[in-house]
Amino acid sequence: MREFIINQNDAGQRVDKFLTKAVPKLPKNLLYKYLRLKRIKVNGKRCEISTRLACGDVMQLYINDEFFEGEVADRPAFLSAPTSLNIIYEDENIILCDKKCGLVVHEDESGSTDTLINRIQHYLYEKGEYRPEEELSFAPALCNRIDRNTGGIVICAKNAESLRVLNQKVKDRELEKLYLCVTVGIPKEKSARLTAYHQKDETTKTVKVSDKKFQGSRTMITSYRVLAENKADDLALLEVDLITGRTHQIRAHLAHIGYPLLGDGKYGINKVNRAYNVKTQALYSYKLTFKFTTDAGTLEYLNGKSFQVKDVWFCEKFFGYKL
């Protein structure tokens, strides 16, 4: 018999969701079977799949030891990652990091352990704020993602309650994220709200954009304003607000209206990219504002606060523009 004592980061979860993370080797069909057979109990009593766990609850598992074998990893992957981070803001609940271009946020097909989340977990481990051996189902986690070749602000939750609140706020679009980008060509309209129709192609990993609805398409809305112009090189610096959040939205939408991003290998102009020796899209998520319209619980203190990256590589290089 194994016993788990539910801590603050585990509380509020359904029994099945908790066990999927706490005992990952236990197949779901057996999990459900053992619940029916009362081989999984909470506080000595029968529980259901939907039972919500509370802090201090004791879960007893009368299941084979084989499902717990290897439960303590030899060496967590995050310990192989550096601890170097560009931290914009940190408190007891969250970290805001300025992710530089070239760093992935999570492990991908390359198999590299040098990811943003691994760096953050290693950093918190060194500070004594994250002890994986004391956690049953939680690890510090990212609340938003940015592509490898895009830089900008990424939010990490240090505890389960902050993760729950922020995931909901992101879903409800109660966070404003502004981007900076460089377009090849200077838009005639110095500010605009663009609407088009978007569809992702999983085979080519690109998107199709049209001014008219088509089967399978979804509406996308992009707002921009021109901040600076480099007329000699025919480049413009834009601030962009995503009203919707579609795959490659900024890159594809601006290319669709005739102003592709400098350095963009998928939607841009390779001849121009080579001429400027720019090998990644000039795109940066540079400003984050918390705009809560519903209760944020323990994170209410963040409401109305804005955070901004101070140095974006293409601003001064092409425009002499300082943030």
Side-chain angles (χ1 to χ4, degrees):
M1 192 268 283
R2 295 293 179 101
E3 191 172 271
F4 292 147
I5 299 175
I6 304 304
N7 64 31
Q8 194 63 49
N9 280 330
D10 304 318
Q13 297 182 78
R14 288 179 6 177
V15 163
D16 60 334
K17 299 295 184 184
F18 168 78
L19 286 173
T20 298
K21 290 177 278 190
V23 193
K25 289 190 175 183
L26 179 63
K28 282 192 174 182
N29 61 323
L30 283 181
L31 188 159
Y32 299 139
K33 179 180 179 180
Y34 290 160
L35 283 168
R36 290 196 303 272
L37 295 175
K38 303 179 186 178
R39 290 174 64 176
I40 298 174
K41 298 181 179 181
V42 174
N43 300 324
K45 299 178 181 179
R46 178 176 182 170
C47 60
E48 305 293 338
I49 292 171
S50 59
T51 298
R52 295 279 175 179
L53 297 170
C55 189
D57 279 349
V58 178
M59 177 179 283
Q60 296 95 8
L61 295 95
Y62 299 88
I63 64 179
N64 296 346
D65 286 341
E66 65 188 85
F67 299 118
F68 298 98
E69 290 176 2
E71 62 182 351
V72 178
D74 295 333
R75 177 180 168 86
F78 68 78
L79 289 178
S80 299
T83 57
S84 56
L85 294 167
N86 297 289
I87 297 175
I88 297 173
Y89 173 80
E90 180 180 6
D91 62 26
E92 68 276 13
N93 295 312
I94 69 167
I95 301 179
L96 303 183
C97 288
D98 174 11
K99 185 197 83 69
K100 298 303 181 182
C101 179
L103 180 66
V104 293
V105 292
H106 292 113
E107 290 184 31
D108 59 11
E109 62 276 2
S110 71
S112 173
T113 57
D114 187 9
T115 65
L116 180 62
I117 187 57
N118 279 348
R119 287 190 183 197
I120 291 173
Q121 289 179 357
H122 194 176
Y123 164 78
L124 292 174
Y125 180 83
E126 293 292 337
K127 288 182 68 182
E129 293 187 28
Y130 172 45
R131 286 286 177 260
E133 66 275 11
E134 297 174 5
E135 296 289 349
L136 299 174
S137 66
F138 177 79
L142 304 182
C143 305
N144 65 310
R145 298 185 181 192
I146 293 180
D147 293 342
R148 176 196 292 269
N149 292 323
T150 301
I153 301 175
V154 178
I155 311 165
C156 178
K158 290 185 176 183
N159 52 63
E161 176 62 13
S162 297
L163 182 62
R164 182 191 67 78
V165 171
L166 286 170
N167 280 344
Q168 189 63 47
K169 297 303 180 186
V170 170
K171 181 180 178 181
D172 294 341
R173 306 193 68 79
E174 293 182 34
L175 280 69
E176 179 185 75
K177 292 177 287 182
L178 297 180
Y179 292 76
L180 294 176
C181 65
V182 178
T183 59
V184 177
I186 300 172
K188 293 179 181 178
E189 292 186 73
K190 302 312 173 189
S191 64
R193 183 183 173 99
L194 309 171
T195 300
Y197 300 92
H198 168 288
Q199 185 180 57
K200 183 178 180 180
D201 187 326
E202 294 289 351
T203 304
T204 63
K205 303 298 182 184
T206 59
V207 302
K208 177 182 177 182
V209 179
S210 172
D211 291 325
K212 297 182 179 180
K213 286 185 179 180
F214 58 94
Q215 187 174 2
S217 68
R218 301 174 71 188
T219 303
M220 70 173 176
I221 305 172
T222 309
S223 180
Y224 77 83
R225 64 187 181 105
V226 177
L227 297 182
E229 299 177 9
N230 180 338
K231 293 183 179 179
D233 295 325
D234 195 29
L235 301 176
L237 176 66
L238 273 60
E239 180 184 72
V240 180
D241 183 10
L242 293 178
I243 311 304
T244 56
R246 310 293 182 221
T247 301
H248 299 171
Q249 179 169 327
I250 294 174
R251 298 160 62 191
H253 208 165
L254 290 173
H256 176 68
I257 65 168
Y259 303 105
L261 267 56
L262 181 66
D264 192 340
K266 284 190 174 181
Y267 306 101
I269 305 169
N270 287 330
K271 181 173 68 173
V272 175
N273 298 340
R274 288 193 297 268
Y276 286 98
N277 194 31
V278 177
K279 298 179 181 179
T280 183
Q281 61 260 18
L283 178 63
Y284 222 92
S285 178
Y286 89 110
K287 190 173 184 179
L288 170 70
T289 302
F290 294 94
K291 292 188 172 182
F292 302 149
T293 56
T294 55
D295 180 49
T298 56
L299 298 185
E300 190 62 38
Y301 65 92
L302 291 170
N303 198 14
K305 290 188 177 181
S306 290
F307 301 91
Q308 181 177 312
V309 174
K310 300 298 183 183
D311 180 28
V312 175
W313 64 272
F314 48 78
C315 288
E316 285 201 52
K317 180 175 182 179
F318 295 110
F319 305 94
Y321 189 92
K322 293 187 178 182
L323 296 173

